[in-house]
Amino acid sequence: MGESSDTISEPAAAATTHVELDGGEDEQDPESNSLHQPLLKRSPTLSASHLAMVGAKVSHIESLDYEINESYLFKHDWRRRSNVQVLQYVFGKWTLAFLVGLLTGVIASLINLAIENIAGIKMLHVGKYVREERYITGFVYLTGLNFVLTTVAAALCVVFAPTAAGPGIPEIKAYLNGVDTPNMFGVSTLIVKIIGSIGAVSAGLDLGKEGPLVHIGACLANLLSQGGSENYHLKWRWLRYFKNDRDRRDLITCGASSGVCAAFRSPVGGVLFSLEEVATWWRSALLWRTFFSTAVVVVVLRGFMEFCNSGKCGLFGRGGLILFDVSNVTVTYHINDLLPVAAVGVIGGLLGSLYNHLLHKVLRLYNMINEKGRLAKLALSLSVCLFTSICLYFLPFLAPCTPCDPSIQEACPTTGRSGNFKQFNCPSGHYNDLASLLHATNDDAVRNIFSTSTPTEFRVVSLLIFFVLYCILGLITFGIAVPSGLFLPIILMGSAYGRLLGVALGSYTNIDQGLYAVLGAAALMSGSMRMTVSLCVIFLELTNNLLLLPITMFVLLIAKTVGDAFNLSIYEIILELKGLPFLEANPEPWMRNITVGELAAAKPCLVSLQVVEKVSRVVDVLRSTSHNGFPVVDEGVPSPTRTNAAVTEVHGLVLRSHIIAVLKKKWFLKEKRRTEEWEVRDKFTSVDLAEKGARIEELEITDEEMEMYIDLHPFTNTTPYTVVETMSVAKAMVLFRQVGLRHLLIVPKYQGAGITPIVGILTRQDLRAHNILNAFPHLANKRDEKRTTSS
């Protein structure tokens, strides 16, 4: 039996299905069960179906072929490659990595340019109407423009590319884990992601462009690796060699790193983000290429900013690219500052876990709304837009005007788009501190609240209003049908509570309020996303001050530790909601007491093929099963021990897609025999087998062809990974995940005549905890009993 398909629906907020498991009370404790003792009660089949109800449209999911398929054709192609061809292949990898960084940097620059100008013009006109006391006109203008921008972003996502909604990072994480997330990296997704990000961020919604930029980088990487595809008209011969899951995975990793770098201008942080958060497999060669891609992004962004400094980019000033430079600020702290810094970390962990918990509830609610159809999705997005516009426009009127401090070097009040001291509805010589935060782009709001040496700039009431508002907006905005990122909303929430804590401590601390805002943002991000190393480097590259390193590390570690005590990270929660079969790094403890042989016994009977098989038999197997891999055996092989007995040889594993490729070319034999090497080479190459998408139902095979034969040995992976049937599931899961497998053959402990050479096949679905518990219900009951006893 091979891999069975799984199903999910369009990636929006999702709700997983639950299975009630029943079991007897007199069952043996699984935690003390020996691996050699059979488990008495189990269901007859191992379920491989896990549905996530995200909408009405359901797509099939498969795993990816990250393992090298060492078939005869693959070995022959690599043997015949000259040194020049190998160098061309390596040079092609670096060229694609360069193009990924270049295109990501250019697109990120254009997105920032568009957002800053659209949002800047909007804010200038709103400020003008308020100063002229045309309050209704200002509100109608702000709300109407936000409505139009949100409608464009939401309509594109709902109609043309539903997969463009959300950040896209959980799906990238699943893809790099080996899950073929459907329709996630197409041209339509890329275009909608770019336009939708511009519209949604310009509309003032509480979301960032960081997640979409990561997704955009991954889409670019995927499209560049589609060499030889008629869909994208990329016919350069050497691109065809990258059209495989393994090379595409590496390039998408470069794209994800480039996206993070483009969002924060943090090249090292982008590499570490992929290493820590999204990539399941890593190696030194990939480290070099991702670093090269991020370096190209930084060069492009730097050139863009130098060009815009001359005033040729409209309203693009200091904004658009988050950069909080405190290199000139002297950071001083003493031993007595560790306690308040630790409090920042603890609060960040608590708030981050609470945010994850509440967002989980909101996403499940949004799922029920989104299931009602496209109009419901669009109405939900516009409702959030209306609420956001009302809050952003009217709340600054609650804040009193503050007189400008003559000692401040910056212009006060600020009547333009950027600046810390928005005049808004205040008289000359005064500013509105809440308007400085709410009537600015998110990037400018971050700079304003991060500003140092401004202890009296923001009132406590204004910071409280800002914090509560962005907590509410952060919960209700994520999950609507627009491209959205989580980084910036969490940064804004964290910086608000960090600055509040700095104000509360006052003269009791040596750390500036702006630096407390930086620490609060880092703590809340760590408490929600559970990242440490990459976040630390990102914030160091943002602040450009190594003196912040010790306390930033201290805060991140505390926040992550506190958050882990309550729930999963936000991306893991989204993965669970979407029903993506993601394999975690650590198996469940009870998996050590179940063997892979017991899992194989709980599955349907094994379906295998002969080395030379009849066409009718192959077609019947493909039509009657959904498996994507089949063991290939050769019966009647002379025994290597020089006896007259015949044995069965395990030739390897053949993929469904490769069989369909053979059927599509109608490479059939009139007699039952093995083909010669030259016969295969004249018809196929290993690159031809990389084509996917054909289905057995689309093929037309005549009755005469049904009686012919297929030689599967040139297409069979002769070196599949195998495990003995007595191996624990926990150990098999670690091997499966670390090597990046799609199929894992189970062989018997004892070999001999009359013993089947293959016990079964393990796939990703078989190693999922909920599927195992569905097949062995008493394990769930015993696990729940232990949790109840321990609590």
Side-chain angles (χ1 to χ4, degrees):
M1 178 177 177
E3 178 193 37
S4 298
S5 62
D6 195 10
T7 55
I8 64 166
S9 53
E10 298 172 357
T16 53
T17 57
H18 297 274
V19 181
E20 294 184 4
L21 305 175
D22 300 322
E25 296 180 356
D26 56 346
E27 293 168 340
Q28 188 177 6
D29 184 0
E31 295 293 336
S32 61
N33 179 50
S34 170
L35 290 178
H36 303 288
Q37 295 175 338
L39 297 174
L40 299 179
K41 292 191 177 182
R42 61 189 178 199
S43 52
T45 59
L46 187 64
S47 169
S49 177
H50 182 50
L51 299 179
M53 302 304 297
V54 188
K57 196 173 182 180
V58 177
S59 301
H60 291 281
I61 277 192
E62 295 180 4
S63 292
L64 295 162
D65 297 309
Y66 288 164
E67 178 193 1
I68 294 179
N69 193 319
E70 292 186 343
S71 62
Y72 163 75
L73 283 175
F74 174 83
K75 294 176 181 177
H76 171 73
D77 282 355
W78 273 101
R79 283 196 302 265
R80 63 191 293 266
R81 286 189 185 184
S82 63
N83 291 334
V84 174
Q85 290 174 322
V86 173
L87 288 175
Q88 287 178 327
Y89 176 72
V90 175
F91 177 76
K93 284 187 174 183
W94 286 93
T95 302
L96 291 178
F98 169 79
L99 291 176
V100 167
L102 176 65
L103 294 176
T104 303
V106 170
I107 291 176
S109 301
L110 295 177
I111 289 176
N112 282 286
L113 179 64
I115 291 174
E116 290 295 302
N117 279 280
I118 295 174
I121 293 173
K122 179 182 68 175
M123 293 302 179
L124 284 176
H125 282 81
V126 171
K128 175 184 175 183
Y129 291 137
V130 172
R131 289 193 302 274
E132 295 174 355
E133 298 185 358
R134 299 166 60 186
Y135 302 120
I136 301 299
T137 305
F139 173 71
V140 171
Y141 177 84
L142 177 68
T143 306
L145 189 55
N146 288 348
F147 247 63
V148 172
L149 294 170
T150 304
T151 301
V152 171
L156 287 175
C157 288
V158 169
V159 178
F160 296 103
T163 52
I169 294 179
E171 290 83 1
I172 296 173
K173 185 173 180 177
Y175 183 91
L176 297 179
N177 188 259
V179 180
D180 188 9
T181 47
N183 306 319
M184 279 305 301
F185 307 111
V187 174
S188 59
T189 302
L190 173 63
I191 296 174
V192 171
K193 203 80 175 184
I194 295 172
I195 300 175
S197 297
I198 295 173
V201 178
S202 300
L205 296 175
D206 185 22
L207 45 85
K209 54 187 177 293
E210 299 76 28
L213 281 175
V214 176
H215 194 181
I216 288 169
C219 288
L220 291 171
N222 179 71
L223 296 177
L224 287 173
S225 65
Q226 296 290 327
S229 174
E230 294 290 347
N231 295 333
Y232 309 114
H233 304 287
L234 299 174
K235 299 298 293 183
W236 186 40
R237 175 174 175 268
W238 276 101
L239 279 178
R240 299 173 70 241
Y241 288 103
F242 301 102
K243 196 173 181 180
N244 59 80
D245 291 337
R246 192 181 182 91
D247 286 331
R248 188 178 297 123
R249 173 197 67 192
D250 292 349
L251 201 58
I252 286 178
T253 305
C254 293
S257 300
S258 300
V260 174
C261 176
F264 297 105
R265 287 181 59 196
S266 174
V268 180
V271 175
L272 292 177
F273 175 82
S274 292
L275 173 61
E276 181 180 11
E277 183 62 23
V278 297
T280 300
W281 302 280
W282 199 264
R283 61 185 190 279
S284 58
L286 185 58
L287 177 68
W288 280 102
R289 281 201 296 275
T290 53
F291 186 69
F292 176 62
S293 295
T294 56
V296 173
V297 173
V298 170
V299 172
V300 173
L301 294 180
R302 173 57 64 182
F304 170 73
M305 294 188 69
E306 291 292 336
F307 175 78
C308 288
N309 284 337
S310 61
K312 299 178 181 179
C313 297
L315 294 177
F316 185 93
R318 294 173 51 207
L321 296 167
I322 297 177
L323 182 62
F324 175 58
D325 192 346
V326 292
S327 57
N328 296 326
V329 177
T330 302
V331 181
T332 58
Y333 46 88
H334 304 290
I335 190 68
N336 57 340
D337 291 317
L338 292 181
L339 185 59
V341 168
V344 172
V346 172
I347 296 174
L350 293 174
L351 289 178
S353 58
L354 179 61
Y355 178 79
N356 292 357
H357 174 74
L358 295 177
L359 188 60
H360 180 273
K361 302 297 182 185
V362 172
L363 292 180
R364 295 179 73 92
L365 174 63
Y366 279 7
N367 173 70
M368 294 185 289
I369 298 175
N370 292 332
E371 282 182 340
K372 300 183 183 298
R374 293 179 175 178
L375 290 178
K377 293 181 181 180
L378 188 59
L380 177 61
S381 301
L382 293 178
S383 299
V384 173
C385 172
L386 176 61
F387 178 76
T388 302
S389 300
I390 292 173
C391 293
L392 294 182
Y393 185 80
F394 287 108
L395 284 178
F397 288 99
L398 300 178
C401 295
T402 305
C404 293
D405 188 351
S407 63
I408 297 178
Q409 297 180 354
E410 295 186 33
C412 181
T414 304
T415 56
R417 180 184 57 84
S418 62
N420 285 23
F421 308 100
K422 293 282 186 181
Q423 183 176 358
F424 196 58
N425 61 330
C426 296
S428 179
H430 293 70
Y431 70 95
N432 188 315
D433 61 340
L434 189 54
S436 299
L437 298 176
L438 298 183
H439 279 235
T441 61
N442 288 340
D443 292 358
D444 283 331
V446 170
R447 285 189 188 83
N448 293 346
I449 202 169
F450 278 3
S451 60
T452 57
S453 302
T454 54
T456 60
E457 178 180 354
F458 298 103
R459 299 173 183 266
V460 174
V461 176
S462 298
L463 290 174
L464 281 173
I465 294 175
F466 180 80
F467 174 68
V468 174
L469 174 63
Y470 270 84
C471 285
I472 297 173
L473 294 180
L475 289 173
I476 66 173
T477 305
F478 187 81
I480 63 175
V482 296
S484 57
L486 278 169
F487 281 86
L488 204 56
I490 294 177
I491 287 177
L492 289 171
M493 286 186 287
S495 60
Y497 94 79
R499 185 140 193 146
L500 277 170
L501 186 59
V503 172
L505 291 174
S507 59
Y508 296 101
T509 179
N510 298 301
I511 303 177
D512 190 273
Q513 292 179 13
L515 299 182
Y516 267 110
V518 175
L519 295 177
L524 189 57
M525 288 186 70
S526 180
S528 176
M529 300 180 179
R530 311 295 156 76
M531 296 185 295
T532 53
V533 179
S534 57
L535 273 184
C536 184
V537 174
I538 287 174
F539 272 88
L540 285 180
E541 291 181 297
L542 285 178
T543 58
N544 196 22
N545 197 324
L546 282 176
L547 295 176
L548 283 174
L549 177 61
I551 54 175
T552 303
M553 295 173 61
F554 186 54
V555 163
L556 291 174
L557 289 172
I558 293 177
K560 184 183 186 304
T561 303
V562 174
D564 284 338
F566 292 95
N567 50 28
L568 300 174
S569 72
I570 186 62
Y571 291 135
E572 290 173 322
I573 290 175
I574 296 174
L575 282 170
E576 181 182 347
L577 286 173
K578 289 179 180 293
L580 296 171
F582 184 86
L583 286 184
E584 298 292 345
N586 300 315
E588 298 286 345
W590 49 265
M591 289 183 178
R592 300 191 179 280
N593 300 312
I594 312 174
T595 65
V596 294
E598 289 166 339
L599 286 189
K603 295 179 65 172
C605 295
L606 184 72
V607 179
S608 60
L609 298 172
Q610 295 289 322
V611 172
V612 181
E613 191 67 84
K614 205 169 187 179
V615 174
S616 58
R617 156 77 174 161
V618 173
V619 172
D620 180 64
V621 167
L622 294 180
R623 287 176 176 173
S624 59
T625 67
S626 60
H627 313 324
N628 289 301
F630 302 92
V632 178
V633 297
D634 195 4
E635 297 179 350
V637 177
S639 174
T641 58
R642 298 183 180 179
T643 62
N644 295 327
V647 296
T648 300
E649 175 192 40
V650 179
H651 191 70
L653 183 83
V654 66
L655 297 176
R656 169 185 283 262
S657 59
H658 293 178
I659 299 177
I660 291 178
V662 177
L663 293 174
K664 190 175 181 179
K665 284 196 174 184
K666 297 184 180 295
W667 193 63
F668 304 143
L669 306 172
K670 293 184 178 180
E671 65 275 358
K672 188 175 183 179
R673 66 176 180 86
R674 284 201 181 191
T675 55
E676 300 294 334
E677 294 182 359
W678 62 268
E679 295 180 88
V680 184
R681 295 198 298 267
D682 287 346
K683 197 72 174 179
F684 295 95
T685 66
S686 62
V687 178
D688 295 331
L689 300 181
E691 294 287 344
K692 293 183 179 180
R695 302 175 58 188
I696 184 62
E697 292 80 10
E698 300 171 355
L699 303 182
E700 295 182 1
I701 302 176
T702 64
D703 294 338
E704 181 182 357
E705 291 170 337
M706 285 288 192
E707 298 302 316
M708 301 174 75
Y709 296 90
I710 294 180
D711 180 16
L712 297 176
H713 97 269
F715 317 100
T716 302
N717 180 10
T718 56
T719 58
Y721 282 87
T722 61
V723 294
V724 69
E725 61 181 339
T726 54
M727 178 180 286
S728 69
V729 173
K731 196 172 183 179
M733 178 181 172
V734 172
L735 172 66
F736 195 97
R737 186 183 189 276
Q738 289 184 347
V739 182
L741 302 180
R742 186 177 184 180
H743 303 94
L744 185 61
L745 297 183
I746 306 173
V747 297
K749 181 179 180 180
Y750 301 101
Q751 306 286 338
I755 299 177
T756 176
I758 302 176
V759 176
I761 290 183
L762 285 181
T763 66
R764 173 179 298 272
Q765 298 294 343
D766 303 328
L767 296 173
R768 298 271 289 162
H770 75 275
N771 281 335
I772 298 175
L773 294 177
N774 190 30
F776 300 86
H778 69 287
L779 293 178
N781 295 335
K782 292 297 182 181
R783 183 184 63 171
D784 293 340
E785 288 177 9
K786 278 203 164 191
R787 288 180 176 177
T788 304
T789 304
S790 61
S791 59

